[in-house]
PDB file of all heavy atoms in Angstrom:
ATOM      1  N   ASP B 199       0.801  -1.210   0.000  1.00 46.00           N
ATOM      2  CA  ASP B 199       0.000   0.000   0.000  1.00 46.00           C
ATOM      3  C   ASP B 199       0.843   1.273   0.000  1.00 46.00           C
ATOM      4  O   ASP B 199       0.351   2.354   0.275  1.00 46.00           O
ATOM      5  CB  ASP B 199      -0.929   0.010   1.235  1.00 46.00           C
ATOM      6  CG  ASP B 199      -1.910  -1.158   1.205  1.00 46.00           C
ATOM      7  OD1 ASP B 199      -2.356  -1.506   0.097  1.00 46.00           O
ATOM      8  OD2 ASP B 199      -2.193  -1.702   2.278  1.00 46.00           O
ATOM      9  N   ALA B 200       2.147   1.124  -0.276  1.00 53.00           N
ATOM     10  CA  ALA B 200       3.025   2.290  -0.238  1.00 53.00           C
ATOM     11  C   ALA B 200       2.707   3.226  -1.385  1.00 53.00           C
ATOM     12  O   ALA B 200       2.187   2.823  -2.430  1.00 53.00           O
ATOM     13  CB  ALA B 200       4.483   1.846  -0.311  1.00 53.00           C
ATOM     14  N   GLY B 201       3.047   4.505  -1.199  1.00 69.00           N
ATOM     15  CA  GLY B 201       2.812   5.491  -2.242  1.00 69.00           C
ATOM     16  C   GLY B 201       3.805   5.350  -3.380  1.00 69.00           C
ATOM     17  O   GLY B 201       4.707   4.505  -3.364  1.00 69.00           O
ATOM     18  N   THR B 202       3.661   6.192  -4.353  1.00 84.00           N
ATOM     19  CA  THR B 202       4.545   6.145  -5.516  1.00 84.00           C
ATOM     20  C   THR B 202       5.880   6.803  -5.187  1.00 84.00           C
ATOM     21  O   THR B 202       6.029   7.500  -4.179  1.00 84.00           O
ATOM     22  CB  THR B 202       3.902   6.881  -6.697  1.00 84.00           C
ATOM     23  OG1 THR B 202       3.767   8.278  -6.357  1.00 84.00           O
ATOM     24  CG2 THR B 202       2.523   6.308  -7.014  1.00 84.00           C
ATOM     25  N   THR B 203       6.844   6.561  -6.056  1.00 86.00           N
ATOM     26  CA  THR B 203       8.155   7.195  -5.876  1.00 86.00           C
ATOM     27  C   THR B 203       8.028   8.714  -5.892  1.00 86.00           C
ATOM     28  O   THR B 203       8.715   9.414  -5.142  1.00 86.00           O
ATOM     29  CB  THR B 203       9.108   6.738  -6.995  1.00 86.00           C
ATOM     30  OG1 THR B 203       9.237   5.309  -6.943  1.00 86.00           O
ATOM     31  CG2 THR B 203      10.477   7.381  -6.834  1.00 86.00           C
ATOM     32  N   LEU B 204       7.144   9.224  -6.756  1.00 89.00           N
ATOM     33  CA  LEU B 204       6.934  10.668  -6.817  1.00 89.00           C
ATOM     34  C   LEU B 204       6.407  11.191  -5.489  1.00 89.00           C
ATOM     35  O   LEU B 204       6.862  12.240  -5.003  1.00 89.00           O
ATOM     36  CB  LEU B 204       5.960  11.006  -7.940  1.00 89.00           C
ATOM     37  CG  LEU B 204       5.595  12.499  -8.086  1.00 89.00           C
ATOM     38  CD1 LEU B 204       6.845  13.323  -8.375  1.00 89.00           C
ATOM     39  CD2 LEU B 204       4.550  12.682  -9.192  1.00 89.00           C
ATOM     40  N   GLU B 205       5.459  10.479  -4.879  1.00 90.00           N
ATOM     41  CA  GLU B 205       4.913  10.912  -3.590  1.00 90.00           C
ATOM     42  C   GLU B 205       5.987  10.897  -2.509  1.00 90.00           C
ATOM     43  O   GLU B 205       6.071  11.821  -1.681  1.00 90.00           O
ATOM     44  CB  GLU B 205       3.744  10.005  -3.182  1.00 90.00           C
ATOM     45  CG  GLU B 205       2.478  10.227  -4.008  1.00 90.00           C
ATOM     46  CD  GLU B 205       1.378   9.265  -3.633  1.00 90.00           C
ATOM     47  OE1 GLU B 205       1.663   8.079  -3.396  1.00 90.00           O
ATOM     48  OE2 GLU B 205       0.218   9.691  -3.563  1.00 90.00           O
ATOM     49  N   HIS B 206       6.816   9.854  -2.518  1.00 90.00           N
ATOM     50  CA  HIS B 206       7.904   9.796  -1.544  1.00 90.00           C
ATOM     51  C   HIS B 206       8.858  10.968  -1.724  1.00 90.00           C
ATOM     52  O   HIS B 206       9.269  11.613  -0.751  1.00 90.00           O
ATOM     53  CB  HIS B 206       8.676   8.477  -1.684  1.00 90.00           C
ATOM     54  CG  HIS B 206       7.859   7.273  -1.387  1.00 90.00           C
ATOM     55  ND1 HIS B 206       8.190   6.003  -1.816  1.00 90.00           N
ATOM     56  CD2 HIS B 206       6.697   7.123  -0.693  1.00 90.00           C
ATOM     57  CE1 HIS B 206       7.287   5.138  -1.400  1.00 90.00           C
ATOM     58  NE2 HIS B 206       6.373   5.791  -0.720  1.00 90.00           N
ATOM     59  N   THR B 207       9.213  11.233  -2.970  1.00 92.00           N
ATOM     60  CA  THR B 207      10.149  12.322  -3.258  1.00 92.00           C
ATOM     61  C   THR B 207       9.584  13.665  -2.833  1.00 92.00           C
ATOM     62  O   THR B 207      10.272  14.481  -2.202  1.00 92.00           O
ATOM     63  CB  THR B 207      10.482  12.354  -4.760  1.00 92.00           C
ATOM     64  OG1 THR B 207      11.045  11.087  -5.151  1.00 92.00           O
ATOM     65  CG2 THR B 207      11.475  13.457  -5.081  1.00 92.00           C
ATOM     66  N   LEU B 208       8.319  13.903  -3.180  1.00 93.00           N
ATOM     67  CA  LEU B 208       7.692  15.166  -2.817  1.00 93.00           C
ATOM     68  C   LEU B 208       7.603  15.333  -1.301  1.00 93.00           C
ATOM     69  O   LEU B 208       7.799  16.435  -0.771  1.00 93.00           O
ATOM     70  CB  LEU B 208       6.295  15.258  -3.438  1.00 93.00           C
ATOM     71  CG  LEU B 208       6.241  15.411  -4.973  1.00 93.00           C
ATOM     72  CD1 LEU B 208       4.799  15.329  -5.463  1.00 93.00           C
ATOM     73  CD2 LEU B 208       6.878  16.723  -5.395  1.00 93.00           C
ATOM     74  N   THR B 209       7.309  14.231  -0.601  1.00 91.00           N
ATOM     75  CA  THR B 209       7.189  14.311   0.856  1.00 91.00           C
ATOM     76  C   THR B 209       8.540  14.605   1.506  1.00 91.00           C
ATOM     77  O   THR B 209       8.635  15.431   2.418  1.00 91.00           O
ATOM     78  CB  THR B 209       6.613  12.999   1.425  1.00 91.00           C
ATOM     79  OG1 THR B 209       5.341  12.730   0.798  1.00 91.00           O
ATOM     80  CG2 THR B 209       6.403  13.101   2.926  1.00 91.00           C
ATOM     81  N   LEU B 210       9.577  13.929   1.037  1.00 90.00           N
ATOM     82  CA  LEU B 210      10.911  14.190   1.572  1.00 90.00           C
ATOM     83  C   LEU B 210      11.350  15.626   1.278  1.00 90.00           C
ATOM     84  O   LEU B 210      11.967  16.296   2.126  1.00 90.00           O
ATOM     85  CB  LEU B 210      11.911  13.197   0.992  1.00 90.00           C
ATOM     86  CG  LEU B 210      11.737  11.731   1.441  1.00 90.00           C
ATOM     87  CD1 LEU B 210      12.678  10.822   0.656  1.00 90.00           C
ATOM     88  CD2 LEU B 210      11.994  11.599   2.933  1.00 90.00           C
ATOM     89  N   LEU B 211      11.025  16.116   0.083  1.00 93.00           N
ATOM     90  CA  LEU B 211      11.343  17.499  -0.259  1.00 93.00           C
ATOM     91  C   LEU B 211      10.551  18.467   0.617  1.00 93.00           C
ATOM     92  O   LEU B 211      11.060  19.536   0.991  1.00 93.00           O
ATOM     93  CB  LEU B 211      11.046  17.756  -1.736  1.00 93.00           C
ATOM     94  CG  LEU B 211      12.006  17.110  -2.748  1.00 93.00           C
ATOM     95  CD1 LEU B 211      11.512  17.356  -4.169  1.00 93.00           C
ATOM     96  CD2 LEU B 211      13.418  17.672  -2.568  1.00 93.00           C
ATOM     97  N   ALA B 212       9.310  18.090   0.954  1.00 91.00           N
ATOM     98  CA  ALA B 212       8.489  18.941   1.821  1.00 91.00           C
ATOM     99  C   ALA B 212       9.119  19.069   3.203  1.00 91.00           C
ATOM    100  O   ALA B 212       9.185  20.168   3.777  1.00 91.00           O
ATOM    101  CB  ALA B 212       7.075  18.366   1.931  1.00 91.00           C
ATOM    102  N   PHE B 213       9.601  17.940   3.753  1.00 84.00           N
ATOM    103  CA  PHE B 213      10.273  17.996   5.053  1.00 84.00           C
ATOM    104  C   PHE B 213      11.528  18.858   4.982  1.00 84.00           C
ATOM    105  O   PHE B 213      11.810  19.651   5.890  1.00 84.00           O
ATOM    106  CB  PHE B 213      10.635  16.586   5.529  1.00 84.00           C
ATOM    107  CG  PHE B 213       9.503  15.863   6.197  1.00 84.00           C
ATOM    108  CD1 PHE B 213       8.948  14.723   5.633  1.00 84.00           C
ATOM    109  CD2 PHE B 213       8.988  16.313   7.401  1.00 84.00           C
ATOM    110  CE1 PHE B 213       7.907  14.055   6.241  1.00 84.00           C
ATOM    111  CE2 PHE B 213       7.942  15.650   8.030  1.00 84.00           C
ATOM    112  CZ  PHE B 213       7.399  14.519   7.448  1.00 84.00           C
ATOM    113  N   LEU B 214      12.287  18.694   3.911  1.00 85.00           N
ATOM    114  CA  LEU B 214      13.499  19.495   3.750  1.00 85.00           C
ATOM    115  C   LEU B 214      13.155  20.978   3.655  1.00 85.00           C
ATOM    116  O   LEU B 214      13.822  21.827   4.272  1.00 85.00           O
ATOM    117  CB  LEU B 214      14.259  19.040   2.498  1.00 85.00           C
ATOM    118  CG  LEU B 214      15.527  19.820   2.151  1.00 85.00           C
ATOM    119  CD1 LEU B 214      16.541  19.693   3.281  1.00 85.00           C
ATOM    120  CD2 LEU B 214      16.116  19.315   0.832  1.00 85.00           C
ATOM    121  N   ALA B 215      12.108  21.293   2.895  1.00 89.00           N
ATOM    122  CA  ALA B 215      11.706  22.692   2.734  1.00 89.00           C
ATOM    123  C   ALA B 215      11.264  23.304   4.057  1.00 89.00           C
ATOM    124  O   ALA B 215      11.606  24.447   4.378  1.00 89.00           O
ATOM    125  CB  ALA B 215      10.578  22.795   1.705  1.00 89.00           C
ATOM    126  N   VAL B 216      10.518  22.529   4.840  1.00 84.00           N
ATOM    127  CA  VAL B 216      10.064  23.033   6.145  1.00 84.00           C
ATOM    128  C   VAL B 216      11.262  23.320   7.044  1.00 84.00           C
ATOM    129  O   VAL B 216      11.318  24.357   7.721  1.00 84.00           O
ATOM    130  CB  VAL B 216       9.119  22.015   6.809  1.00 84.00           C
ATOM    131  CG1 VAL B 216       8.855  22.402   8.265  1.00 84.00           C
ATOM    132  CG2 VAL B 216       7.804  21.936   6.051  1.00 84.00           C
ATOM    133  N   ALA B 217      12.228  22.410   7.043  1.00 75.00           N
ATOM    134  CA  ALA B 217      13.413  22.603   7.868  1.00 75.00           C
ATOM    135  C   ALA B 217      14.181  23.851   7.447  1.00 75.00           C
ATOM    136  O   ALA B 217      14.630  24.643   8.285  1.00 75.00           O
ATOM    137  CB  ALA B 217      14.317  21.375   7.789  1.00 75.00           C
ATOM    138  N   VAL B 218      14.318  24.051   6.135  1.00 80.00           N
ATOM    139  CA  VAL B 218      15.061  25.216   5.636  1.00 80.00           C
ATOM    140  C   VAL B 218      14.332  26.511   5.974  1.00 80.00           C
ATOM    141  O   VAL B 218      14.932  27.482   6.447  1.00 80.00           O
ATOM    142  CB  VAL B 218      15.280  25.100   4.112  1.00 80.00           C
ATOM    143  CG1 VAL B 218      15.827  26.407   3.535  1.00 80.00           C
ATOM    144  CG2 VAL B 218      16.223  23.953   3.802  1.00 80.00           C
ATOM    145  N   VAL B 219      13.021  26.518   5.728  1.00 83.00           N
ATOM    146  CA  VAL B 219      12.232  27.724   5.993  1.00 83.00           C
ATOM    147  C   VAL B 219      12.269  28.088   7.473  1.00 83.00           C
ATOM    148  O   VAL B 219      12.401  29.264   7.842  1.00 83.00           O
ATOM    149  CB  VAL B 219      10.777  27.538   5.521  1.00 83.00           C
ATOM    150  CG1 VAL B 219       9.894  28.668   6.025  1.00 83.00           C
ATOM    151  CG2 VAL B 219      10.721  27.474   4.002  1.00 83.00           C
ATOM    152  N   ALA B 220      12.168  27.070   8.333  1.00 74.00           N
ATOM    153  CA  ALA B 220      12.121  27.333   9.771  1.00 74.00           C
ATOM    154  C   ALA B 220      13.486  27.684  10.353  1.00 74.00           C
ATOM    155  O   ALA B 220      13.597  28.591  11.178  1.00 74.00           O
ATOM    156  CB  ALA B 220      11.544  26.119  10.497  1.00 74.00           C
ATOM    157  N   LEU B 221      14.534  26.962   9.917  1.00 62.00           N
ATOM    158  CA  LEU B 221      15.838  27.139  10.539  1.00 62.00           C
ATOM    159  C   LEU B 221      16.696  28.194   9.854  1.00 62.00           C
ATOM    160  O   LEU B 221      17.386  28.964  10.520  1.00 62.00           O
ATOM    161  CB  LEU B 221      16.582  25.793  10.560  1.00 62.00           C
ATOM    162  CG  LEU B 221      15.899  24.663  11.344  1.00 62.00           C
ATOM    163  CD1 LEU B 221      16.719  23.393  11.261  1.00 62.00           C
ATOM    164  CD2 LEU B 221      15.696  25.067  12.789  1.00 62.00           C
ATOM    165  N   VAL B 222      16.666  28.214   8.530  1.00 71.00           N
ATOM    166  CA  VAL B 222      17.517  29.146   7.794  1.00 71.00           C
ATOM    167  C   VAL B 222      16.877  30.525   7.715  1.00 71.00           C
ATOM    168  O   VAL B 222      17.523  31.554   7.949  1.00 71.00           O
ATOM    169  CB  VAL B 222      17.835  28.614   6.390  1.00 71.00           C
ATOM    170  CG1 VAL B 222      18.676  29.635   5.604  1.00 71.00           C
ATOM    171  CG2 VAL B 222      18.561  27.276   6.481  1.00 71.00           C
ATOM    172  N   PHE B 223      15.571  30.558   7.400  1.00 79.00           N
ATOM    173  CA  PHE B 223      14.881  31.836   7.227  1.00 79.00           C
ATOM    174  C   PHE B 223      14.125  32.285   8.478  1.00 79.00           C
ATOM    175  O   PHE B 223      13.487  33.337   8.472  1.00 79.00           O
ATOM    176  CB  PHE B 223      13.921  31.764   6.040  1.00 79.00           C
ATOM    177  CG  PHE B 223      14.618  31.542   4.729  1.00 79.00           C
ATOM    178  CD1 PHE B 223      14.700  30.276   4.166  1.00 79.00           C
ATOM    179  CD2 PHE B 223      15.219  32.598   4.061  1.00 79.00           C
ATOM    180  CE1 PHE B 223      15.347  30.065   2.965  1.00 79.00           C
ATOM    181  CE2 PHE B 223      15.875  32.400   2.849  1.00 79.00           C
ATOM    182  CZ  PHE B 223      15.944  31.134   2.302  1.00 79.00           C
ATOM    183  N   ASP B 224      14.178  31.459   9.532  1.00 70.00           N
ATOM    184  CA  ASP B 224      13.594  31.814  10.828  1.00 70.00           C
ATOM    185  C   ASP B 224      12.111  32.159  10.723  1.00 70.00           C
ATOM    186  O   ASP B 224      11.627  33.116  11.322  1.00 70.00           O
ATOM    187  CB  ASP B 224      14.359  32.988  11.446  1.00 70.00           C
ATOM    188  CG  ASP B 224      14.051  33.156  12.932  1.00 70.00           C
ATOM    189  OD1 ASP B 224      13.686  32.157  13.571  1.00 70.00           O
ATOM    190  OD2 ASP B 224      14.167  34.287  13.436  1.00 70.00           O
ATOM    191  N   LYS B 225      11.369  31.343   9.979  1.00 81.00           N
ATOM    192  CA  LYS B 225       9.929  31.519   9.861  1.00 81.00           C
ATOM    193  C   LYS B 225       9.204  30.543  10.787  1.00 81.00           C
ATOM    194  O   LYS B 225       9.773  29.550  11.238  1.00 81.00           O
ATOM    195  CB  LYS B 225       9.477  31.318   8.413  1.00 81.00           C
ATOM    196  CG  LYS B 225      10.095  32.308   7.422  1.00 81.00           C
ATOM    197  CD  LYS B 225       9.730  33.741   7.747  1.00 81.00           C
ATOM    198  CE  LYS B 225      10.332  34.708   6.736  1.00 81.00           C
ATOM    199  NZ  LYS B 225      10.028  36.128   7.058  1.00 81.00           N
ATOM    200  N   ASN B 226       7.951  30.825  11.036  1.00 78.00           N
ATOM    201  CA  ASN B 226       7.157  30.005  11.949  1.00 78.00           C
ATOM    202  C   ASN B 226       7.036  28.576  11.419  1.00 78.00           C
ATOM    203  O   ASN B 226       6.563  28.344  10.314  1.00 78.00           O
ATOM    204  CB  ASN B 226       5.765  30.632  12.122  1.00 78.00           C
ATOM    205  CG  ASN B 226       4.934  29.889  13.133  1.00 78.00           C
ATOM    206  OD1 ASN B 226       4.417  28.821  12.863  1.00 78.00           O
ATOM    207  ND2 ASN B 226       4.801  30.468  14.322  1.00 78.00           N
ATOM    208  N   ILE B 227       7.460  27.615  12.243  1.00 76.00           N
ATOM    209  CA  ILE B 227       7.451  26.213  11.833  1.00 76.00           C
ATOM    210  C   ILE B 227       6.033  25.700  11.604  1.00 76.00           C
ATOM    211  O   ILE B 227       5.786  24.867  10.731  1.00 76.00           O
ATOM    212  CB  ILE B 227       8.177  25.342  12.882  1.00 76.00           C
ATOM    213  CG1 ILE B 227       8.196  23.875  12.479  1.00 76.00           C
ATOM    214  CG2 ILE B 227       7.548  25.498  14.245  1.00 76.00           C
ATOM    215  CD1 ILE B 227       8.998  23.590  11.271  1.00 76.00           C
ATOM    216  N   GLY B 228       5.076  26.211  12.373  1.00 82.00           N
ATOM    217  CA  GLY B 228       3.689  25.774  12.204  1.00 82.00           C
ATOM    218  C   GLY B 228       3.130  26.166  10.859  1.00 82.00           C
ATOM    219  O   GLY B 228       2.526  25.352  10.156  1.00 82.00           O
ATOM    220  N   PHE B 229       3.345  27.423  10.463  1.00 91.00           N
ATOM    221  CA  PHE B 229       2.890  27.878   9.152  1.00 91.00           C
ATOM    222  C   PHE B 229       3.596  27.110   8.030  1.00 91.00           C
ATOM    223  O   PHE B 229       2.972  26.732   7.038  1.00 91.00           O
ATOM    224  CB  PHE B 229       3.138  29.381   8.995  1.00 91.00           C
ATOM    225  CG  PHE B 229       2.087  30.240   9.629  1.00 91.00           C
ATOM    226  CD1 PHE B 229       2.422  31.151  10.621  1.00 91.00           C
ATOM    227  CD2 PHE B 229       0.756  30.140   9.244  1.00 91.00           C
ATOM    228  CE1 PHE B 229       1.455  31.948  11.218  1.00 91.00           C
ATOM    229  CE2 PHE B 229      -0.223  30.931   9.835  1.00 91.00           C
ATOM    230  CZ  PHE B 229       0.131  31.839  10.823  1.00 91.00           C
ATOM    231  N   ALA B 230       4.897  26.881   8.204  1.00 88.00           N
ATOM    232  CA  ALA B 230       5.655  26.180   7.162  1.00 88.00           C
ATOM    233  C   ALA B 230       5.169  24.744   6.997  1.00 88.00           C
ATOM    234  O   ALA B 230       4.980  24.261   5.870  1.00 88.00           O
ATOM    235  CB  ALA B 230       7.142  26.201   7.501  1.00 88.00           C
ATOM    236  N   ALA B 231       4.952  24.053   8.114  1.00 87.00           N
ATOM    237  CA  ALA B 231       4.537  22.655   8.057  1.00 87.00           C
ATOM    238  C   ALA B 231       3.133  22.495   7.480  1.00 87.00           C
ATOM    239  O   ALA B 231       2.881  21.622   6.637  1.00 87.00           O
ATOM    240  CB  ALA B 231       4.611  22.031   9.449  1.00 87.00           C
ATOM    241  N   ILE B 232       2.214  23.350   7.927  1.00 92.00           N
ATOM    242  CA  ILE B 232       0.851  23.208   7.429  1.00 92.00           C
ATOM    243  C   ILE B 232       0.758  23.620   5.963  1.00 92.00           C
ATOM    244  O   ILE B 232      -0.039  23.067   5.190  1.00 92.00           O
ATOM    245  CB  ILE B 232      -0.143  24.003   8.306  1.00 92.00           C
ATOM    246  CG1 ILE B 232      -1.555  23.421   8.143  1.00 92.00           C
ATOM    247  CG2 ILE B 232      -0.122  25.492   7.991  1.00 92.00           C
ATOM    248  CD1 ILE B 232      -2.530  23.917   9.183  1.00 92.00           C
ATOM    249  N   THR B 233       1.610  24.565   5.542  1.00 95.00           N
ATOM    250  CA  THR B 233       1.654  24.934   4.131  1.00 95.00           C
ATOM    251  C   THR B 233       2.154  23.762   3.290  1.00 95.00           C
ATOM    252  O   THR B 233       1.590  23.457   2.228  1.00 95.00           O
ATOM    253  CB  THR B 233       2.569  26.155   3.919  1.00 95.00           C
ATOM    254  OG1 THR B 233       2.056  27.263   4.660  1.00 95.00           O
ATOM    255  CG2 THR B 233       2.647  26.526   2.441  1.00 95.00           C
ATOM    256  N   ALA B 234       3.207  23.090   3.760  1.00 93.00           N
ATOM    257  CA  ALA B 234       3.732  21.924   3.043  1.00 93.00           C
ATOM    258  C   ALA B 234       2.684  20.824   2.955  1.00 93.00           C
ATOM    259  O   ALA B 234       2.523  20.183   1.906  1.00 93.00           O
ATOM    260  CB  ALA B 234       4.986  21.419   3.738  1.00 93.00           C
ATOM    261  N   ALA B 235       1.953  20.600   4.057  1.00 93.00           N
ATOM    262  CA  ALA B 235       0.916  19.568   4.054  1.00 93.00           C
ATOM    263  C   ALA B 235      -0.206  19.914   3.081  1.00 93.00           C
ATOM    264  O   ALA B 235      -0.711  19.047   2.358  1.00 93.00           O
ATOM    265  CB  ALA B 235       0.360  19.395   5.466  1.00 93.00           C
ATOM    266  N   VAL B 236      -0.597  21.173   3.038  1.00 94.00           N
ATOM    267  CA  VAL B 236      -1.654  21.601   2.122  1.00 94.00           C
ATOM    268  C   VAL B 236      -1.202  21.465   0.672  1.00 94.00           C
ATOM    269  O   VAL B 236      -1.968  21.013  -0.194  1.00 94.00           O
ATOM    270  CB  VAL B 236      -2.074  23.050   2.435  1.00 94.00           C
ATOM    271  CG1 VAL B 236      -2.960  23.611   1.316  1.00 94.00           C
ATOM    272  CG2 VAL B 236      -2.811  23.117   3.758  1.00 94.00           C
ATOM    273  N   VAL B 237       0.040  21.830   0.379  1.00 95.00           N
ATOM    274  CA  VAL B 237       0.559  21.706  -0.987  1.00 95.00           C
ATOM    275  C   VAL B 237       0.543  20.240  -1.420  1.00 95.00           C
ATOM    276  O   VAL B 237       0.118  19.910  -2.538  1.00 95.00           O
ATOM    277  CB  VAL B 237       1.977  22.291  -1.078  1.00 95.00           C
ATOM    278  CG1 VAL B 237       2.616  21.920  -2.418  1.00 95.00           C
ATOM    279  CG2 VAL B 237       1.943  23.798  -0.907  1.00 95.00           C
ATOM    280  N   LEU B 238       1.011  19.337  -0.558  1.00 94.00           N
ATOM    281  CA  LEU B 238       0.982  17.908  -0.884  1.00 94.00           C
ATOM    282  C   LEU B 238      -0.450  17.421  -1.092  1.00 94.00           C
ATOM    283  O   LEU B 238      -0.720  16.605  -1.981  1.00 94.00           O
ATOM    284  CB  LEU B 238       1.651  17.099   0.233  1.00 94.00           C
ATOM    285  CG  LEU B 238       3.164  17.266   0.378  1.00 94.00           C
ATOM    286  CD1 LEU B 238       3.663  16.514   1.609  1.00 94.00           C
ATOM    287  CD2 LEU B 238       3.884  16.762  -0.868  1.00 94.00           C
ATOM    288  N   SER B 239      -1.369  17.927  -0.286  1.00 93.00           N
ATOM    289  CA  SER B 239      -2.775  17.531  -0.420  1.00 93.00           C
ATOM    290  C   SER B 239      -3.375  18.041  -1.726  1.00 93.00           C
ATOM    291  O   SER B 239      -4.200  17.362  -2.344  1.00 93.00           O
ATOM    292  CB  SER B 239      -3.582  18.063   0.772  1.00 93.00           C
ATOM    293  OG  SER B 239      -3.122  17.513   1.987  1.00 93.00           O
ATOM    294  N   ILE B 240      -2.974  19.228  -2.151  1.00 93.00           N
ATOM    295  CA  ILE B 240      -3.467  19.769  -3.415  1.00 93.00           C
ATOM    296  C   ILE B 240      -2.953  18.941  -4.587  1.00 93.00           C
ATOM    297  O   ILE B 240      -3.687  18.676  -5.553  1.00 93.00           O
ATOM    298  CB  ILE B 240      -3.040  21.245  -3.559  1.00 93.00           C
ATOM    299  CG1 ILE B 240      -3.808  22.103  -2.558  1.00 93.00           C
ATOM    300  CG2 ILE B 240      -3.279  21.754  -4.988  1.00 93.00           C
ATOM    301  CD1 ILE B 240      -3.348  23.553  -2.523  1.00 93.00           C
ATOM    302  N   LEU B 241      -1.693  18.502  -4.501  1.00 91.00           N
ATOM    303  CA  LEU B 241      -1.101  17.722  -5.590  1.00 91.00           C
ATOM    304  C   LEU B 241      -1.765  16.345  -5.716  1.00 91.00           C
ATOM    305  O   LEU B 241      -1.882  15.814  -6.821  1.00 91.00           O
ATOM    306  CB  LEU B 241       0.402  17.555  -5.353  1.00 91.00           C
ATOM    307  CG  LEU B 241       1.228  18.845  -5.425  1.00 91.00           C
ATOM    308  CD1 LEU B 241       2.676  18.572  -5.049  1.00 91.00           C
ATOM    309  CD2 LEU B 241       1.144  19.454  -6.828  1.00 91.00           C
ATOM    310  N   THR B 242      -2.192  15.772  -4.578  1.00 85.00           N
ATOM    311  CA  THR B 242      -2.863  14.468  -4.604  1.00 85.00           C
ATOM    312  C   THR B 242      -4.068  14.529  -3.682  1.00 85.00           C
ATOM    313  O   THR B 242      -4.087  13.911  -2.606  1.00 85.00           O
ATOM    314  CB  THR B 242      -1.898  13.358  -4.144  1.00 85.00           C
ATOM    315  OG1 THR B 242      -0.616  13.558  -4.724  1.00 85.00           O
ATOM    316  CG2 THR B 242      -2.415  11.981  -4.575  1.00 85.00           C
ATOM    317  N   PRO B 243      -5.123  15.241  -4.081  1.00 83.00           N
ATOM    318  CA  PRO B 243      -6.255  15.490  -3.176  1.00 83.00           C
ATOM    319  C   PRO B 243      -6.998  14.235  -2.743  1.00 83.00           C
ATOM    320  O   PRO B 243      -7.407  14.125  -1.578  1.00 83.00           O
ATOM    321  CB  PRO B 243      -7.154  16.431  -3.991  1.00 83.00           C
ATOM    322  CG  PRO B 243      -6.766  16.198  -5.420  1.00 83.00           C
ATOM    323  CD  PRO B 243      -5.308  15.876  -5.402  1.00 83.00           C
ATOM    324  N   LYS B 244      -7.186  13.277  -3.626  1.00 81.00           N
ATOM    325  CA  LYS B 244      -7.945  12.088  -3.264  1.00 81.00           C
ATOM    326  C   LYS B 244      -7.185  11.210  -2.278  1.00 81.00           C
ATOM    327  O   LYS B 244      -7.780  10.583  -1.406  1.00 81.00           O
ATOM    328  CB  LYS B 244      -8.295  11.290  -4.520  1.00 81.00           C
ATOM    329  CG  LYS B 244      -9.284  11.994  -5.439  1.00 81.00           C
ATOM    330  CD  LYS B 244      -9.667  11.111  -6.624  1.00 81.00           C
ATOM    331  CE  LYS B 244     -10.676  11.812  -7.518  1.00 81.00           C
ATOM    332  NZ  LYS B 244     -11.059  10.971  -8.688  1.00 81.00           N
TER     333      LYS B 244
END
């Protein structure tokens, strides 16, 4: 039942992006994480 390689790649990139936004750019981790989750949900809504 695992996701596709594309889904895995996008999810790993989302985690990396959240870490960069929060640690490097000093932005709110909550906003960054929920934004990443929403973007992933938009890409694969069902």
